[in-house]
Amino acid sequence: SPKLRLAALLRSQQHASRHESFQPTLTTEEPIAEVFPHTTVYFADIAGFTAWSSERQPSQVFQLLENLYAGFDEIARRLGVFKVETIGDSYVAVTGRFTAWSS
């Protein structure tokens, strides 16, 4: 499915960028990005989270993130939004039509 392919692509690029030997190659022959005009990528980050969490017990931080992401996940499920990743206080989701991958 397009959603699974997008998630796999994003994860493979995250994995590759974590390796110091990874050197992206930019050429003029191939585009460096694809355009999906009816697609939205949502990046959420909690402002002030690092300072706030440094003054809290780990269980308080976990509870806040667990409740927040459960709410996001429920809304995403109802609206057909694909959650790509949650890392710390960051939430990444995608919605729309991925026409370039349609069969």
Side-chain angles (χ1 to χ4, degrees), residues 1-2 17 22 32 52 69 74 78-79 83-84 88-89 101:
S1 84
S17 66
F22 176 73
I32 60 171
W52 178 88
Y69 293 154
E74 176 58 28
R78 282 195 327 256
L79 297 176
K83 177 174 78 172
V84 176
D89 67 319
W101 290 329

Side-chain angles (χ1 to χ4, degrees), residues 35-49:
V35 175
F36 298 93
H38 303 287
T39 302
T40 300
V41 179
Y42 173 75
F43 297 91
D45 192 67
I46 302 171
F49 178 79

